[in-house]
């Protein structure tokens, strides 16, 4: 009987494929960035001084309140003080893309186990991230190891952007052109619609999974064959 769950279908196909590869984005795909964002917000309030009503709201926020953008998280709650929001934007930007802060991320539910399942059926787990090597490489490797993702094994590959300034889409486009040399692309996991669409178009035979976490504003419509998932939890 054919597996209903896309996660199981990918594993089944990996068992049959020659040199199977499964591609995983990191931020908001394998990892939730909510704890990273929340820490930056709470440190901002504690260290820089913000209007009392904003400080009170920040103190009430939890990881489940974190969206794609901490500034919008406050604007949604009615905060419009332009000076505070501009300072927060700069404060966040200096910290979010760093080795230190990216280690605050928690894996998405089921993510560690599923990556091991992919390795166990013979797949290469290919971590493809817009994080940059100079600013976030060491922290990313430490985080993958700390949380027990397959990493220091022959069938796990981490690919980071060579420099911060490079656009994520440009970087992923370049890697997409190289990926077939690694083997047969069986599945791709992404949280950014524009990247998911890139993979869907480049690898028509692969399963494309979109993680319903957070993503950047004004996304294009998802390619019709992309499947949505909230996490990596499997029924069995
Ligand atoms: Mg992402």
């Amino acid at each position: 009987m054919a597996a209903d769950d896309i996660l199981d279908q990918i594993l089944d196909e990996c068992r049959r494929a020659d040199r199977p590869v499964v591609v995983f984005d990191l931020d908001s795909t394998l990892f939730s960035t909510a704890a990273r964002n929340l820490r930056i917000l709470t440190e901002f309030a504690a260290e820089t001084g913000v209007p009392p009503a904003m400080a009170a709201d920040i103190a009430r926020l939890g990881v489940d309140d974190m969206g794609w953008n901490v500034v919008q998280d406050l604007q949604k709650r009615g905060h419009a003080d332009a000076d505070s929001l501009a300072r927060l934007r700069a404060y966040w930007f200096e910290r979010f893309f760093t080795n230190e802060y990216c280690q605050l991320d928690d894996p998405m539910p089921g993510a560690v186990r599923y990556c091991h399942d992919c390795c166990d059926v013979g797949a290469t787990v290919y971590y493809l991230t817009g994080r940059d090597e100079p600013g976030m490489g060491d922290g990313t490797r430490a985080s993958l190891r700390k949380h027990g993702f397959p990493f220091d094994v022959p069938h796990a590959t981490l690919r980071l952007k060579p420099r911060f300034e490079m656009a994520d889409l440009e970087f992923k486009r370049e890697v997409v052109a190289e990926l077939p040399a690694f083997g047969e692309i069986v599945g791709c996991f992404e949280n950014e619609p524009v990247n998911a669409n890139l993979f869907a178009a480049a690898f028509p035979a692969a399963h494309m999974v979109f993680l319903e976490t957070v993503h950047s504003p004004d996304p294009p419509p998802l390619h019709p064959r992309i499947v949505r998932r909230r996490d990596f939890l499997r029924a069995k």
Side-chain angles (χ1 to χ4, degrees):
M1 193 176 76
D4 292 334
D5 188 331
I6 184 88
L7 300 182
D8 290 321
Q9 289 173 22
I10 289 171
L11 295 177
D12 284 347
E13 213 142 311
C14 285
R15 289 184 185 97
R16 287 192 289 268
D18 179 35
R19 295 191 302 138
V21 178
V22 184
V23 181
F24 296 93
D25 172 54
L26 295 185
D27 286 330
S28 302
T29 296
L30 286 181
F31 286 100
S32 167
T33 60
R36 186 182 351 166
N37 276 320
L38 185 61
R39 173 75 72 87
I40 294 172
L41 256 184
T42 53
E43 289 182 354
F44 173 73
E47 290 175 12
T48 74
V50 295
M54 185 182 283
D57 262 356
I58 290 173
R60 274 194 288 269
L61 293 173
V63 285
D64 292 338
D65 299 310
M66 295 294 97
W68 181 74
N69 179 313
V70 289
V71 173
Q72 282 174 358
D73 294 338
L74 293 186
Q75 286 173 321
K76 269 195 319 203
R77 288 166 174 80
H79 298 287
D81 178 50
D83 173 63
S84 296
L85 295 176
R87 285 191 298 111
L88 171 58
R89 189 174 286 111
Y91 188 94
W92 175 89
F93 195 81
E94 284 172 11
R95 287 161 182 78
F96 187 82
F97 304 101
T98 61
N99 284 314
E100 181 187 353
Y101 281 82
C102 75
Q103 293 182 60
L104 299 169
D105 289 358
D106 292 313
M108 287 289 291
V112 175
R113 164 83 193 273
Y114 188 67
C115 287
H116 280 285
D117 289 343
C118 288
C119 284
D120 290 347
V121 294
T124 291
V125 170
Y126 195 106
Y127 306 109
L128 174 58
T129 175
R131 296 180 183 185
D132 67 300
E133 173 58 51
M136 303 179 78
D138 288 344
T140 297
R141 286 182 282 274
S143 182
L144 288 165
R145 289 186 179 115
K146 177 177 80 176
H147 290 290
F149 281 97
F151 189 60
D152 296 297
V153 294
H155 289 292
T157 297
L158 170 63
R159 187 73 184 272
L160 299 111
K161 269 194 328 195
R163 59 185 194 283
F164 180 79
E165 296 75 17
M166 188 177 192
D168 287 7
L169 183 60
E170 177 193 358
F171 168 63
K172 291 197 172 180
R173 255 196 209 113
E174 285 188 11
V175 177
V176 156
E178 300 169 13
L179 274 173
F182 277 81
E184 183 179 332
I185 309 303
V186 173
C188 307
F189 292 79
E190 253 293 346
N191 71 299
E192 284 291 346
V194 69
N195 295 336
N197 288 348
L198 167 72
F199 287 115
F203 304 115
H207 293 284
M208 186 64 234
V209 184
F210 174 74
L211 268 291
E212 293 180 314
T213 53
V214 295
H215 56 74
S216 50
D218 303 320
L222 275 184
H223 191 289
R225 70 178 189 81
I226 295 174
V227 175
R228 294 168 177 266
R229 288 283 306 207
R230 300 187 70 82
D231 54 41
F232 293 87
L233 295 174
R234 294 160 61 216
K236 56 185 180 186

